[in-house]
Amino acid sequence: MDAFSQMIIDAVEKTKNAVVKINVFKTVKGKLRPAGSGSGFIFSSDGLVFTNSHVVHGAEKIMVSLLNENEIEGIIIGEDPDTDLAILKIYTEGYSVAKLGDASQLQIGQFVIAIGNPYGYQHTVTTGVVSALGRTLQTQSGKLVDNVIQSDAALNPGNSGGPMITTDGDVIGVNTAMIQGAQGLSFSVDINTAKEIAEQLIHHGKVFKAYVGIMLQEVNINPKVKQHFNLSNKRGLFVTRIEPESPASRSQLQEGDIIINFNGHPVNSTHELFKELAKKEILTIVDISVIRHTEMLNFTIAPLELKQVH
């Protein structure tokens, strides 16, 4: 066996017993019938499971299958359609817990492994590399999901909610919606963002997040610009799109700007911006600093609570 294959086998071995298949049932013509399936993974010793919101949304019954064929009912603790994440709880034994990693350490070109149940084929493993980090993704429902990891690991319907892991077996993302029609691109919600969403769902059953209405891409800042303005940032957030009728559209922000500071804090990643937008006190007028061409501009923006928008 070559060393590379052995590395993948070992990583899968560490995580596979935490990966579950999720079957969803809904009432059709008075009878409870199968209404789709997906994947998930157990991330805590008390039986909490990460999956996608779109997998379990509107389900009347959820059955969770472990690798040992044991099937138990899952209960929804909470879901956040805006990040396409949901938390389930199962009451059983005989499972292992996936180890959550740190997605901020990921690098473009790094090898990753996806585990899931595409088309009901249980425990399918695919591999690829990280193609881009810190992307904002627009889901099929039109919502913007921040802090997405893009890779070329093959994902198919049914992979949704499964883990994206490193060669050490650490989970660094929750696999989410494939972009329809895009060949060879797959997306996962960064596990650091997923952990914060989980915390809010477990404690409050819902998520607070303010909204500014921008699509972003993390970029490196030109060393000369960094030196000239004496910036502490390693990276910035390049604005690829501004949503119409959004707080961003009502500010001086422009597409092509690179955001370097938000609410008095340097922002190097979409995750750092997410953390600011998850603070309840952010619903006021906040300062924002951007690099536009070679200038640094400071102005204000007024985030709104997300529910006001949808």
Side-chain angles (χ1 to χ4, degrees):
M1 178 75 70
D2 65 286
F4 189 57
S5 298
Q6 194 59 55
M7 192 166 62
I8 297 165
I9 290 163
D10 292 346
V12 171
E13 190 62 37
K14 285 179 187 170
T15 315
K16 69 178 186 185
N17 286 323
V19 180
V20 297
K21 183 181 178 196
I22 293 168
N23 288 310
V24 169
F25 298 85
K26 293 178 183 174
T27 302
V28 181
K29 293 180 181 170
K31 283 193 173 171
L32 210 54
R33 297 185 191 277
S37 68
S39 308
F41 59 95
I42 301 161
F43 69 96
S44 77
S45 56
D46 57 350
L48 291 172
V49 178
F50 264 126
T51 186
N52 283 160
S53 164
H54 80 262
V55 169
V56 296
H57 188 73
E60 290 168 62
K61 187 176 188 182
I62 298 166
M63 296 305 291
V64 177
S65 304
L66 304 181
L67 191 55
N68 65 9
E69 301 293 303
N70 194 0
E71 196 178 26
I72 43 272
E73 192 161 351
I75 293 145
I76 298 183
I77 297 294
E79 59 172 319
D80 178 39
D82 294 303
T83 46
D84 198 17
L85 290 172
I87 307 288
L88 307 179
K89 188 168 171 71
I90 53 172
Y91 295 90
T92 187
E93 285 158 10
Y95 55 79
S96 63
V97 175
K99 182 168 177 268
L100 302 185
D102 177 8
S104 70
Q105 301 304 308
L106 269 184
Q107 297 196 34
I108 290 171
Q110 187 172 334
F111 204 78
V112 286
I113 304 158
I115 310 176
N117 306 288
Y119 299 107
Y121 295 114
Q122 196 146 1
H123 275 73
T124 299
V125 173
T126 57
T127 60
V129 295
V130 174
S131 319
L133 292 164
R135 285 257 151 107
T136 303
L137 170 69
Q138 191 150 28
T139 63
Q140 286 153 308
S141 63
K143 293 191 171 79
L144 300 181
V145 182
D146 292 327
N147 221 19
V148 170
I149 300 160
Q150 182 185 322
S151 79
D152 64 353
L155 294 182
N156 291 293
N159 267 112
S160 287
M164 177 74 73
I165 64 172
T166 65
T167 48
D168 294 327
D170 296 346
V171 179
I172 42 81
V174 182
N175 299 328
T176 187
M178 273 197 328
I179 299 291
Q180 294 305 311
Q183 294 299 308
L185 295 182
S186 58
F187 299 93
S188 312
V189 177
D190 174 315
I191 200 66
N192 298 15
T193 295
K195 284 181 207 171
E196 301 211 4
I197 293 287
E199 203 173 314
Q200 290 201 44
L201 288 176
I202 292 160
H203 291 121
H204 310 296
K206 61 182 197 298
V207 172
F208 170 83
K209 187 183 170 213
Y211 159 91
V212 286
I214 44 180
M215 291 185 79
L216 298 166
Q217 170 65 52
E218 288 173 19
V219 292
N220 291 322
I221 296 172
N222 181 311
K224 286 182 178 168
V225 170
K226 212 172 119 169
Q227 196 178 357
H228 181 71
F229 293 113
N230 196 19
L231 301 177
S232 62
N233 299 56
K234 292 186 182 69
R235 314 192 79 196
L237 305 179
F238 182 79
V239 179
T240 58
R241 183 163 162 237
I242 293 176
E243 291 278 279
E245 301 302 309
S246 66
S249 72
R250 291 187 278 273
S251 75
Q252 292 171 46
L253 198 63
Q254 290 181 11
E255 289 175 6
D257 286 351
I258 298 173
I259 301 170
I260 51 166
N261 201 292
F262 187 86
N263 195 27
H265 299 273
V267 283
N268 292 276
S269 66
T270 47
H271 180 64
E272 287 178 0
L273 179 63
F274 170 83
K275 281 170 80 167
E276 288 302 314
L277 290 170
K279 295 175 180 171
K280 283 231 165 64
E281 58 273 20
I282 203 75
L283 298 177
T284 177
I285 293 172
V286 297
D287 294 316
I288 186 169
S289 302
V290 304
I291 300 291
R292 183 176 299 164
H293 309 304
T294 53
E295 286 183 283
M296 183 159 90
L297 303 173
N298 303 298
F299 43 87
T300 57
I301 192 165
L304 291 173
E305 192 170 348
L306 202 50
K307 68 176 185 211
Q308 294 173 273
V309 181
H310 295 303

